[in-house]
Each structure stands twice: as C-alpha cells, then as structure tokens.
Amino acid sequence: MPASTVLILASIGVLSLSFQWLAWRMRVPAILFLLAGGILVGPVLGFLKPDEVFGDLLFPLVSLAVAVILFEGSLTLRFDEIRGHGKMARNLIPAGSVVTGIIGTLAAHWVLDISWAVALLFGAISIVTGPTVIAPLLRSVRPSAKLANILRWEGIIIDPVGALLAVLVFEGIVSWGQGNVFGHSLYIFGKTLLIGFVTGAVAGYLNGLVLRKHLMPQYLHNAATLTFMLGVYALSNEMAHESGLLTVTVMGIWMANMKQVSVDSILEFKESLSVLLISALFIILAARVEFAAIADLGWGLAVVLVVLMLVARPLSVFLSAIGTDLNWREKVFLSWIAPRGIVAAAVSALFAFQLQNLGYESASALVPMVFVLIIATVTLQSLTARPIARLLKVTEPAEYGFLILGANPVARMIAQALKKHEVPVALTDTNWENVRQARMDNLKVYFGNPVSEHASTHLDLTGIGNLLVISPYKHMNSLATYHFLDWFGDTSVFSLSEGDQDQKARHQTAGKIQMTRGVFDGVSYAKLASLASQGYSIKTTQLSEEYGYNDFLETYQGQAIVLFVFDSKSRINPVHSMDNLKPDDDWILISLVPPQNRKERKNKESNGEGAEPSAMGKETSATGKGPSPESSSPRS
C-alpha cells in the first residue's frame, strides 16, 4: 500500500530534524547526512518520489527556497570584512574563483563530453565552499589560528560571491538560448543584469530604510523582510526571465552594507527556517538523484573530482599565496580543504531544471556531478583533515583559552587579565554597549547569541577550550552552559553561583548545570559587580619561597578573591574554593583585590614596617580601563 501524501510530508520533516541532530552529534556538516538520507529514502528505498508528491509545485518550491538561501548568504557579505582579513583570504576569492572555474569547466567539457554551457555552469558552481561546511570541519581539526581564519573567511565571502557568479553565468546561458543572434542574446543578458542590479539595489535600500527608521514593529521585521524579498524575487522574474536570483542576491548585499541597518536578527530567523525548510529541500533534491545518471558519467566523473581536488585547488592556493608569509606546509593544508556546500547543491538543482526546459540535454548531468562533488569533498576532507594537519604540524596547541559569556565591566576586567598572560580569550554578549566597550578595550568580542547558527560560523573559537559564564542573564547562561558542555566537556565549563537564589534554583535546574557553578570561591555575579564598582581590581602575584600563599592572604586580610592560578606546569585553572587551594611557591595567582591595600602598604612602609617581598614587585593590575603602569613578563 503506497504511503499517503500527509505521511510523506511529515516524514520529510522528521528526517530533516533527525539528520540535523545526527550531524550535530558527530560534528560534521549537516548537508552530508541530508543528501545521503535523501538518496536513501529516494532512489534506494523508493519511499519518497518528489515529482509524484509535489507535481507542478516542485519547481516553484525549489526556486523560492534557493532565493531564500542566496538572500541569506548575501546578507553576510560585508565589504569591510573583505578588506580586514589578510592578503591570503582576499586573494583566494578572485584568484581561486577564476582558476577553479576555468579548470572545472575544461575538465567537465573534455572529460565528460558535456556542452560548453553546462560545463561553464558546473565550473562556476564548483568554486563555492561555504561556512556551513567549513565551520564544523575547523572545530574538529583545530588548525592554527592563521589557517583557521583564512579558511573561515574564505567560506563566508565565497558563499555569496560564488552564488552571484553562478547566477551571472546562468543568466548568460539563458540569454544566449533566447537570442537567435549574438546581438539579441547580448541584449537579453544586459536587460537581465540591469533589472537584477537595479531592482535588487532599490529593494535593499527600501527594506533597509524601513528597518533603520523602525517604520514597522520589531516583531514583524523578520517575517516582513522574508515576504518582501520573495515578492521582489517574483516581480523581478516577471520583468526579466530568471533575473530574480540576481535581484535577491544584490538586495542582500545592499542591506548588509547599508549603514545603521542590523541584519543579525534576520539571520537568526533564517536559522529556524533552515532547520525544516532548507533541510527538507536537500532531502527532496537528493531523492531525485538517479543512480543511472551517475553511472552514465562513468569514471570520467572521478577524473573530474580528482582534477578539482588535486589540481585546481592547489593551484589556486599557491597562486594566491604569492607575496604572503605562508610556509609550504600551510599551503599544502589549505590546498586540501575545500568542501562544497549548500549553495552548490541548491543552485545546481534549480539551474538543471531551467536548462533542461531550454533544451540542453546534458543539463541532466549537472545535479549528479555537483552532488557527488559535495559528498566526496565533505566525506574525504572531514575524515582526513585532522591527521593531515597533524602530519604537517599545523594544528593549534591545546585549547586552554576562555570564551567568556558576558562583556560587562567585570568580564572585561577578567579578560584583560587573561590576555596579558597570553591566554586566548573571546567575549560574547547581546548588549551592544558592552560589546562596543570591549572593542574599545581591544578585546575580541562577538555580538549576538553564542549558541546560534550564526555564531557557529562567525564566532572564532581558535585556541578556546573553556567557557566562563559571567553574565546576569540566567536564561542565556543556562542555554550556553548546555551547549558548550557538549562541545567543551564537563570539566571545561565554569559559571558563577546564583547567590541567594542558588538553593531554590538547585531544585529547578538540571544537575549537569549545577556541576559547573561555584567558580571564584562561590561568589555571584551581583557580588563581583558590586566589588568592581567599589574599586576592586585584578592583580597578578608571583609566589615564591620568600612570599608564599599565607603571606598573600595576610597581606589582603582575607578580602582578596583568587580567580585563577598558573600551576608549576604553566597551566591555568579557575579557582573554585580558596579553602581547598594549596598553591606551590612557584605558582602565579590572578586575584580580585580591594582598592585600599596599596595605601595600607604605603602606610606600612612609611611607618618602618617594611615593604612586601620583592616577588610582589611583579604584580600587575587589570581594571576595566586597562593595565596599570606596573607590568610583568607574560607567562602562558
């Protein structure tokens, strides 16, 4: 008995969520499971047959979903970010795109004997990597900070740039197919470009103006932007055939670079949308893949994959690296990492639809070519990247740094103290004023929700292996704790006590979160904030045989709170209880101390009681306003 349409649709949703969860647990790009799952329920089991289920609605649904993907990708393309991330990252965009596009086109045409139009489109699509496949791989491999930044920003920037290039190539092919002579084809292409760029720019400006001037209530911003974008997409297609994809891409780029327009909430809204809508899209697209179409391509497809992975990518990297300080090992590692992602899968399916309707017989090969490229690159590089990075000695050392949830004055003060000891530190907060002040203090900070998909792409955790919660937002604290307990492990997540409410909360909160609480001798955030407002500051003390831990306690008369210790092996550890703390004479203490002690020490000196031992001369101070004139040599 065939399954009902309702059951099939519900199953797609369940499978989408299941594959997303499985990818999260295994820390690999979700697209790998979505495509593999779609092939399983489609051609393998025959449970899902998209053309029968959706009929004539299949193409419009795919078209709208691709428009959403391209719009979201273009919202991340900020021109100031392109300029700010090094010569190598900038070079990989133009040089890598041109080299990969040309080699991919030639290989597809000569090896597989497909038409120049389809080969050119395959070459354009094959350049796109994307942050959704790069970010999980980087977290698993942990390459050096330099390489991680290059790959991360290449993925972020190439996502919309590659999509725009693919759209432009497609528009050229469509325009040529509609014109009987070169002049008419050129006219159609020019008309498409003009309408796409003008309509997209106008739509982006108008939508940005609405957001900037708050002409619409906040709760409608996300839904209105999405609806408006889809309306503009449809209108553009009516004015010029298939110009809508270019229009929404330009619209997103315009909004991303428009001053005083925040698109972060729109990006977060897309995350919820993508869990079902976009995940379901890839299951549906993969279910349409036919093994016969892959078999027809034969060994030639494997040759094309080898050429792209072992010729095009290395050539792109080595050409882009001219004039940079990358060594040969770093270049080799970059040459191996280029997994293809969501944009490649989505636009290939849509463009194959269109080209087949225009009479390009070889267009049917486009989808299996791109899908096999995605599965091959994601699988091979996910499995081999870590051992290759270790072999080349380009991995990051142990992740001993701290991600601090909160960029308030207390968190900034602690971050500055850690930074002075060369401990990697990053802050995250949803309060813009706190984020702005952290940036003024030259601290690395992420503005937004640290457990969002946007954070998984843009929050740089290179060298970070611990979470320290210093925030008054209890709901966010719990979410972040659960999220990073799974990622960093039970022994690497630390949070403050909840103060007077701790006992009550103990019966309401899961024990796993309770295990993380009580760092810094059990003080609460409110207590730390109060001490900071009273003038308490953070000081570093080098213990010695002449000045031990008991001398330190006596100096500050029990008012100091030891926050961190560097032990004999220079490992940094947060302090849970000072009662149980028994540091050796060569340890370093990072402590929160009261403001009056310096005056008391001066009074002792003036009264002839003697100064503290010379070891105390190595103290450093960290306040919310920067380091004191006294400083010590860094130790990490």
Side-chain angles (χ1 to χ4, degrees), residues 509-536:
T509 311
K512 200 172 184 182
I513 286 188
Q514 288 296 335
M515 290 168 53
T516 70
R517 291 195 176 133
V519 75
F520 300 161
D521 207 36
V523 299
S524 64
Y525 171 79
K527 179 65 174 178
L528 280 182
S530 174
L531 294 177
S533 67
Q534 296 172 33
Y536 274 64

Side-chain angles (χ1 to χ4, degrees), residues 154-192:
E154 180 200 10
I156 291 172
I157 297 169
I158 200 66
D159 200 31
V161 169
L164 178 60
L165 178 61
V167 169
L168 290 175
V169 171
F170 173 72
E171 301 295 359
I173 295 171
V174 172
S175 301
W176 184 265
Q178 292 179 355
N180 297 322
V181 295
F182 176 77
H184 184 60
S185 296
L186 193 61
Y187 163 75
I188 296 295
F189 183 56
K191 177 184 176 183
T192 301

Side-chain angles (χ1 to χ4, degrees), residues 49 71 100 126 129 133 140 148 155 181 207 214 258 268 310 378 428 434 468 482 488 493 500 563 591 632:
K49 298 178 180 179
F71 177 67
T100 303
S126 65
T129 56
V133 288
S140 173
V181 295
N207 199 86
H214 302 284
M258 193 171 174
E268 290 183 8
L310 300 183
V378 172
T428 175
N434 287 339
L468 178 59
Y482 272 121
F488 291 149
V493 176
D500 295 337
L563 307 178
S591 314
S632 65

Side-chain angles (χ1 to χ4, degrees), residues 280-448:
L281 170 68
F282 292 113
I283 292 177
I284 293 170
L285 294 179
R288 299 185 73 252
V289 175
E290 299 177 358
F291 289 130
I294 298 176
D296 289 342
L297 296 174
W299 288 103
L301 179 56
V303 174
V304 172
L305 296 180
V306 170
V307 169
L308 283 172
M309 296 173 66
L310 300 183
V311 178
R313 177 62 177 181
L315 184 58
S316 300
V317 169
F318 277 81
L319 286 176
S320 302
I322 295 176
T324 68
D325 60 350
L326 293 176
N327 59 44
W328 71 268
R329 292 191 300 272
E330 293 169 331
K331 295 175 188 177
V332 170
F333 179 75
L334 291 175
S335 297
W336 179 240
I337 305 301
R340 273 56 175 191
I342 283 176
V343 171
V347 298
S348 65
L350 178 61
F351 293 164
F353 268 129
Q354 299 283 45
L355 293 180
Q356 284 176 302
N357 292 336
L358 293 175
Y360 290 89
E361 295 181 2
S362 56
S364 59
L366 184 61
V367 171
M369 289 168 61
V370 173
F371 277 36
V372 171
L373 175 64
I374 293 171
I375 294 173
T377 54
V378 172
T379 303
L380 286 175
Q381 293 169 12
S382 294
L383 294 175
T384 61
R386 188 167 180 81
I388 288 177
R390 288 176 173 174
L391 180 65
L392 295 172
K393 299 179 180 179
V394 295
T395 55
E396 189 76 10
E399 295 177 321
Y400 59 91
F402 287 84
L403 172 64
I404 300 179
L405 179 60
N408 47 71
V410 176
R412 296 196 302 269
M413 190 165 58
I414 292 174
Q416 286 174 330
L418 295 176
K419 183 180 178 182
K420 287 168 65 176
H421 286 270
E422 298 183 354
V423 176
V425 60
L427 299 92
T428 175
D429 205 314
T430 55
N431 183 301
W432 171 248
E433 182 57 32
N434 287 339
V435 170
R436 186 186 67 83
Q437 187 60 52
R439 289 176 177 171
M440 291 179 63
D441 292 342
N442 199 29
L443 294 169
K444 185 167 69 174
V445 63
Y446 171 78
F447 175 49

Side-chain angles (χ1 to χ4, degrees), residues 325 350 417 487 545 550 620:
D325 60 350
L350 178 61
W487 190 256
E545 293 183 0
N550 290 330
T620 63

Side-chain angles (χ1 to χ4, degrees), residues 16 18-37 129-141 279 282 337-342 374-383 385 453 456 487:
S16 300
S18 301
F19 292 141
Q20 287 278 0
W21 176 84
L22 188 60
W24 168 72
R25 291 297 303 174
M26 298 187 67
R27 296 185 174 90
V28 298
I31 190 174
L32 180 62
F33 287 105
L34 294 172
L35 296 183
T129 56
T132 57
V133 288
I134 287 291
L137 190 147
L138 291 179
R139 288 189 175 184
S140 173
V141 176
S279 299
F282 292 113
I337 305 301
R340 273 56 175 191
I342 283 176
I374 293 171
I375 294 173
T377 54
V378 172
T379 303
L380 286 175
Q381 293 169 12
S382 294
L383 294 175
E453 182 185 353
S456 69
W487 190 256

